[in-house]
Amino acid sequence: MSDLATPSLDAPQLPVRCYFDPAVHAQEEARLFADAPIYLGHRLMVPKPDDYHTLAWTGHARMLRNVEGRLRVVSNVCRHRQALIYQGRGNGRTITCNLHGWTYDGKGELIGAPHFPETPCVGLAQTPLTEWHGLAFDARRDVARDLEQLGVAHHIDFSGFAWHSSHSTDYDFNWKTFVEVYSEDYHVDPFHPGLGNFVDCGALSWEWGEHYHVQTVGIKNRLARAGSKVYGQWHDEVLRRYAGRMPEFGAIWLVYYPNIMVECYPHCIVVSCALPRGVDKCTVTTEFYYPEDIVWFEPEFIAAEQAAYFETASEDDEICLRMHEGRKALWQAGLDETGPYQDPTELGMQHFHRWYRARMGKL
């Protein structure tokens, strides 16, 4: 276990230039993302044989497929004239581009090219995969080894769950800003009236790994008082679903470095990624999973949970933008200011910063 697994408050936050300097961004691409675990989707997105699901965050350039029970990620760009083949979800044993009729088998091998005397020896590019709890990653990293000591792994259990929906949002701030806000609880009570009355950050526990940190928070005051109208509906649904009993936790928030987040809530798992799009732009993808019976028969539960989730997300967006604007003003003025970490609520941010520094070298 690395010494990064032991949090301390000895290092300051990252210098302002890390959020705006193109040279730093290029260094991140080489030192953080060249061998980073790239999350590509969950097998619940393609539950049946021959299912496919195009990945919107790639511009639909790749698709997740279920081929005889095995997950594959293949290109969704035809080898003939580089057109997108599909967009969305569907099922089919073959992959057919309807522009000229080029047809591939489920693994991406070309099996038909009309009016060619011989079928060209080309196929759709594939991405080798590794799986962890049904989550599919680019195989460049040993994800299972990275997460083998994860104490909350038993809560990240998709058994009996189903994929519900995916969302993608573009932001005008650095990807690290999103991860930082996600990695601290200091702002929850003052800035999130809804979330702050659902989870109890006074009952906060941390878990540390070389490549991750986890926050686990309790339920606030047995959900006796909602902090917003939207969260009031979410309280009601949780209490109804649990028949007055309390869930084991209010939330579990995992950050798998550099940019993957897995969130567990009562009867809900959310998987998110903060994808860098440049120095001051990023795209955040979000996937929602619920027990199958909720997906099929309880739309009111999902509506209440997602309304609460996005209310908090909107508030987090404001935090990120205000941090971005303040740091940008300092950067443009040639100034740099840093602040201390609050113990224990900001230890996750501090742990992320130490991991970042260890891999980036001298900043």
Side-chain angles (χ1 to χ4, degrees):
M1 186 73 70
S2 160
D3 66 346
L4 289 171
T6 305
S8 68
L9 304 175
D10 57 355
Q13 68 185 69
L14 303 181
V16 168
R17 67 182 291 258
C18 289
Y19 304 87
F20 301 97
D21 190 337
V24 173
H25 178 71
Q27 191 173 338
E28 290 176 351
E29 291 291 337
R31 299 190 180 183
L32 302 186
F33 288 96
D35 68 343
I38 306 298
Y39 172 67
L40 294 166
H42 195 282
R43 66 166 43 249
L44 291 176
M45 297 166 70
V46 287
K48 297 182 295 185
D50 303 319
D51 279 352
Y52 67 83
H53 189 131
T54 65
L55 304 178
W57 60 271
T58 69
H60 300 281
R62 289 191 280 182
M63 71 175 91
L64 189 66
R65 290 189 60 86
N66 183 326
V67 182
E68 299 175 350
R70 293 189 60 187
L71 288 186
R72 290 179 179 268
V73 168
V74 300
S75 173
N76 187 41
V77 178
C78 183
R79 289 295 303 272
H80 182 228
R81 290 294 175 262
Q82 298 76 54
L84 287 179
I85 301 172
Y86 298 133
Q87 185 165 328
R89 309 175 73 212
N91 182 278
R93 292 181 61 85
T94 60
I95 303 167
T96 300
C97 177
N98 63 6
L99 267 66
H100 301 99
W102 276 40
T103 301
Y104 309 81
D105 66 15
K107 299 177 182 179
E109 298 300 321
L110 184 65
I111 57 176
H115 308 300
F116 275 74
E118 294 183 2
T119 300
C121 187
V122 296
L124 301 175
Q126 300 190 33
T127 303
L129 298 180
T130 185
E131 281 192 63
W132 183 82
H133 288 227
L135 299 164
F137 299 87
D138 185 308
R140 68 182 74 185
R141 279 276 290 278
D142 188 341
V143 175
R145 184 175 62 186
D146 285 353
L147 301 177
E148 64 182 352
Q149 300 298 322
L150 184 65
V152 300
H154 63 289
H155 289 299
I156 306 175
D157 183 0
F158 291 85
S159 302
F161 273 58
W163 173 85
H164 176 265
S165 56
S166 299
H167 305 262
S168 181
T169 307
D170 296 327
Y171 292 109
D172 292 327
F173 50 73
N174 188 276
W175 67 276
K176 295 187 294 298
T177 304
F178 188 91
V179 175
E180 289 169 342
V181 173
Y182 187 92
S183 299
E184 56 95 352
D185 288 11
Y186 195 30
H187 72 277
V188 171
D189 285 338
F191 209 81
H192 293 314
L195 179 64
N197 282 280
F198 184 82
V199 301
D200 182 4
C201 292
L204 165 66
S205 64
W206 290 100
E207 180 183 344
W208 313 105
E210 183 174 0
H211 298 285
Y212 63 83
H213 72 255
V214 184
Q215 308 163 71
T216 300
V217 290
I219 287 285
K220 187 74 163 282
N221 195 26
R222 300 185 63 83
L223 302 183
R225 184 176 72 86
S228 71
K229 181 178 179 181
V230 167
Y231 264 87
Q233 295 173 332
W234 175 224
H235 285 212
D236 291 344
E237 287 299 321
V238 172
L239 291 170
R240 178 189 62 79
R241 180 78 183 186
Y242 281 81
R245 296 177 293 108
M246 287 297 106
E248 184 178 348
F249 54 83
I252 296 173
W253 295 311
L254 161 69
V255 183
Y256 179 28
Y257 301 149
N259 63 333
I260 299 168
M261 290 140 283
V262 181
E263 311 169 54
C264 299
Y265 301 99
H267 293 311
C268 177
I269 301 176
V270 183
V271 183
S272 302
C273 294
L275 306 170
R277 300 298 194 192
V279 173
D280 56 0
K281 294 186 183 297
C282 67
T283 297
V284 176
T285 64
T286 309
E287 300 166 0
F288 289 90
Y289 299 86
Y290 304 92
E292 290 179 343
D293 61 326
I294 289 179
V295 172
W296 293 338
F297 303 117
E298 299 188 38
E300 63 280 358
F301 182 97
I302 294 174
E305 190 279 328
Q306 291 196 11
Y309 184 94
F310 284 116
E311 177 178 273
T312 298
S314 178
E315 293 161 353
D316 281 338
D317 295 348
E318 180 181 346
I319 296 173
C320 290
L321 286 168
R322 286 169 60 179
M323 289 168 60
H324 170 78
E325 290 168 354
R327 288 167 171 169
K328 185 175 182 179
L330 291 173
W331 168 250
Q332 291 176 335
L335 301 174
D336 192 22
E337 296 178 359
T338 60
Y341 301 98
Q342 198 284 326
D343 183 355
T345 60
E346 291 189 308
L347 292 182
M349 181 192 294
Q350 192 266 354
H351 188 267
F352 170 62
H353 286 169
R354 292 184 72 203
W355 177 89
Y356 180 92
R357 285 177 177 276
R359 280 148 187 80
M360 288 289 286
K362 184 176 178 60
L363 295 174

